[in-house]
Amino acid sequence: MREFLQRTLIGALVVAFLSLLVWGALGAVEALSLALFCVLLWLAFHLYHIALLLRWLRHPGSERVPDGFGSWHMVFMTLYRQARAQSQNKKKLTNVLERFISAGEAMPDGVVVLDEHDRIEWLNPSAVEHLGLNRKEDVGNQILNLVRQPNFHAYMAADNFSQPLILRFVQPSERVLAIQLVPFDSTRKLLLSRDITQLERVQTVHRDFVANVSHELRTPLTVIGGFLETFADMDEPDPAMLKQFMPMMLEQTRRMQSLVEDLLTLSRLENSPKAVPNEKVNMDELLATLRTEAEGLSQGRHTIVCEQRSRRWLWGSENELHSAFGNLVSNAIRYTPEGGTVTLAWRDCGQKAVFSVSDTGIGIPREHIPRLTERFYRVDRGRSRGNGGTGLGLAIVKHVLARHHAKLEIASEPDKGSTFSAVFGAERLAEAERLGQP
Ligand code: ADP
């Protein structure tokens, strides 16, 4: 500013000085003419630069700031610097905005920005997927016309958004959403949607599991409690009654024990590290042990056959495999009436090897087969409980086999019998060792 004033003042002084010189040499008229000429020149100079400035102001672009002379050069330089700073700021802001938009687009939660009339201003792809909206056509439309669930309308009308709303959709697929409205900017709202289908499923499984465990424990506890109350009411326990009730109480206690043991096994399997221990499992020994156990469970009521057609061993956890195969054997004995046959087999099948337990028992109707490995799923509750079943055996088998990357295959026909096969891939098979070798 000071430089600008200095330059203008110096110019005016030079003109005044020259005019005075001309006055002295040539006379007043010539001096005034010179002064007038200089003022006109000065005016033309400024008008020209004002025109340049106006032209630039009409299309202000940082690159096009005009070149000026004298004080105007300073004006234009200042303008150029400001325009450049502004353009850089704009670029920075655009970058930040773009980053925010990309973050919004990438969010797994749905985000919809609503204006003061609940019309859609912006929405991200997750919101499109969750609420079945259309990104091009639905912007500018009222959200209430697009999401038609009555409870959503009630939620919007209630104006109390402290708690999320749970919305259930059946079409096009089953889905549960948690909807949360967040008012902002005094008139606008942010509608957030989160897919909680999986979470709800886990919670339902958890609730069902707790209900099932409680139910399973309640019956034996009621039976034992009933007997104990009877004895408590007596001055002296009747020895005959004691003898009669004691085995029943013992049976119920064993039932609770098996249930707790199976629950602990399942929990151990679920909580153990993902990688299964890499022990070399001696299948010759394991088959022999399983056969002995089958004979012990059967007590001579069944024919037990053991067919060992593979000499291979397995990589995995001996304890877990013993528990899984033992469950299959115990089921075969429990669901095969007296006189039936239970066959344990270990055979090669191409690159794979299969451990199977076949029986000539009651079999399973086809519709139940896909659900057998669910916890507490039983074809016939009474029969399972009657023979000491907990409803957890096949869930344990499924877990153990999954940990060994093996598959459980079930083939069954009612009244003819069942075959449960555990199929192991080549990577789980180990060469057998001869006894005495390391
Ligand atoms: P449970 O303790 O009831 O036997 P499991 O999980 O071991 O529980 O088995 C689930 C259900 O599968 C059983 O209740 C039974 O109905 C059916 N099942 C299992 N193995 C056999 C089998 N070998 N023959 C017939 N039904 C079977």
Side-chain angles (χ1 to χ4, degrees):
M1 188 68 192
R2 226 170 94 197
E3 200 183 333
F4 173 76
L5 287 175
Q6 269 175 0
R7 281 184 184 214
T8 314
L9 203 66
I10 290 170
L13 285 175
V14 168
V15 172
F17 180 67
L18 281 178
S19 301
L20 281 176
L21 276 184
V22 172
W23 197 336
L26 301 171
V29 176
E30 284 76 4
L32 270 176
S33 304
L34 178 69
L36 190 65
F37 175 73
C38 287
V39 167
L40 283 176
L41 208 63
W42 185 75
L43 205 64
F45 170 79
H46 283 296
L47 280 176
Y48 167 72
H49 283 96
I50 286 171
L52 284 182
L53 178 64
L54 277 175
R55 202 172 68 187
W56 180 79
L57 283 175
R58 258 186 232 123
H59 308 284
S62 61
E63 304 305 331
R64 279 193 257 144
V65 173
D67 274 334
F69 297 100
S71 49
W72 281 99
H73 175 71
M74 280 163 53
V75 171
F76 287 145
M77 278 310 289
T78 313
L79 268 179
Y80 173 72
R81 266 185 235 116
Q82 277 181 2
R84 206 174 54 174
Q86 224 174 32
S87 132
Q88 275 169 354
N89 266 351
K90 201 168 137 190
K91 255 189 213 153
K92 255 191 226 160
L93 283 177
T94 314
N95 273 344
V96 171
L97 199 66
E98 269 169 9
R99 276 212 300 276
F100 266 106
I101 290 179
S102 321
E105 303 254 339
M107 263 172 79
D109 288 357
V111 183
V112 184
V113 180
L114 300 174
D115 69 8
E116 67 265 40
H117 301 297
D118 294 337
R119 285 181 304 222
I120 298 177
E121 276 190 347
W122 182 86
L123 71 168
N124 72 350
S126 299
V128 170
E129 199 206 325
H130 288 172
L131 301 165
L133 300 175
N134 186 312
R135 252 192 134 174
K136 277 192 191 135
E137 289 168 15
D138 291 340
V139 171
N141 286 332
Q142 271 242 344
I143 188 84
L144 291 173
N145 294 334
L146 301 165
V147 181
R148 296 208 156 261
Q149 252 93 334
N151 47 351
F152 179 69
H153 284 227
Y155 180 65
M156 295 286 281
D159 227 23
N160 174 10
F161 309 127
S162 55
Q163 291 296 319
L165 164 77
I166 305 298
L167 268 190
R168 285 168 207 282
F169 293 85
V170 197
Q171 292 283 340
S173 58
E174 234 172 82
R175 170 168 267 166
V176 188
L177 294 180
I179 301 284
Q180 178 83 60
L181 266 169
V182 186
F184 75 104
D185 207 12
S186 76
T187 53
R188 293 202 169 114
K189 291 185 198 96
L190 210 59
L191 185 145
L192 304 173
S193 63
R194 172 166 290 180
D195 190 337
I196 55 163
T197 318
Q198 204 55 32
L199 191 74
E200 277 255 319
R201 248 177 234 155
V202 171
Q203 279 174 351
T204 311
V205 168
H206 187 243
R207 261 198 308 272
D208 288 355
F209 182 67
V210 172
N212 274 322
V213 172
S214 319
H215 182 76
E216 295 291 329
L217 286 173
R218 200 170 52 202
T219 319
L221 278 174
T222 313
V223 175
I224 296 171
F227 289 141
L228 289 177
E229 267 172 30
T230 314
F231 290 132
D233 288 342
M234 294 176 175
D235 291 334
E236 254 185 55
D238 175 356
M241 270 177 97
L242 255 181
K243 206 165 177 185
Q244 188 194 349
F245 292 158
M246 208 54 98
M248 294 188 219
M249 285 165 60
L250 262 178
E251 193 199 319
Q252 297 302 330
T253 313
R254 279 196 201 108
R255 201 168 132 187
M256 287 195 287
Q257 247 169 357
S258 330
L259 181 68
V260 171
E261 269 162 26
D262 278 358
L263 283 172
L264 285 174
T265 308
L266 257 183
S267 137
R268 253 197 308 272
L269 283 171
E270 277 171 353
N271 294 325
S272 48
K274 274 218 164 82
V276 79
N278 234 8
E279 301 159 7
K280 214 171 187 185
V281 182
N282 181 339
M283 284 302 285
D284 311 334
E285 262 178 33
L286 186 54
L287 281 175
T289 311
L290 289 168
R291 183 190 188 136
T292 313
E293 284 172 3
E295 283 164 352
L297 285 169
S298 165
Q299 297 281 313
R301 288 174 296 126
H302 309 89
T303 309
I304 311 291
V305 180
C306 190
E307 295 174 354
Q308 188 173 2
R309 302 229 181 89
S310 171
R311 287 286 142 208
R312 294 207 259 188
W313 290 5
L314 278 174
W315 288 113
S317 154
E318 175 147 20
N319 272 342
E320 290 182 19
L321 289 172
H322 186 177
S323 153
F325 297 165
N327 265 307
L328 295 180
V329 171
S330 135
N331 279 354
I333 302 282
R334 288 190 293 117
Y335 295 105
T336 303
E338 196 164 347
T341 304
V342 171
T343 309
L344 319 187
W346 175 232
R347 61 194 156 81
D348 289 327
C349 183
Q351 296 288 331
K352 302 176 175 177
V354 181
F355 170 81
S356 64
V357 181
S358 310
D359 62 58
T360 54
I362 60 168
I364 306 156
R366 183 196 291 262
E367 66 274 18
H368 293 285
I369 293 180
R371 300 194 57 190
L372 288 183
T373 54
E374 288 174 22
R375 296 159 179 193
F376 296 112
Y377 190 86
R378 288 136 154 162
V379 176
D380 179 339
R381 253 167 211 279
R383 193 193 284 256
S384 158
R385 290 216 186 98
N387 63 29
T390 59
L392 294 172
L394 290 181
I396 293 174
V397 173
K398 184 180 137 185
H399 251 292
V400 170
L401 293 189
R403 279 167 61 74
H404 287 77
H405 306 126
K407 228 171 57 186
L408 177 67
E409 289 177 357
I410 306 170
S412 186
E413 225 179 295
D415 300 324
K416 292 228 165 108
S418 318
T419 299
F420 287 76
S421 311
V423 185
F424 292 88
E427 78 284 359
R428 283 279 148 197
L429 304 180
E431 282 307 313
E433 284 169 15
R434 275 203 228 119
L435 281 182
Q437 275 191 350

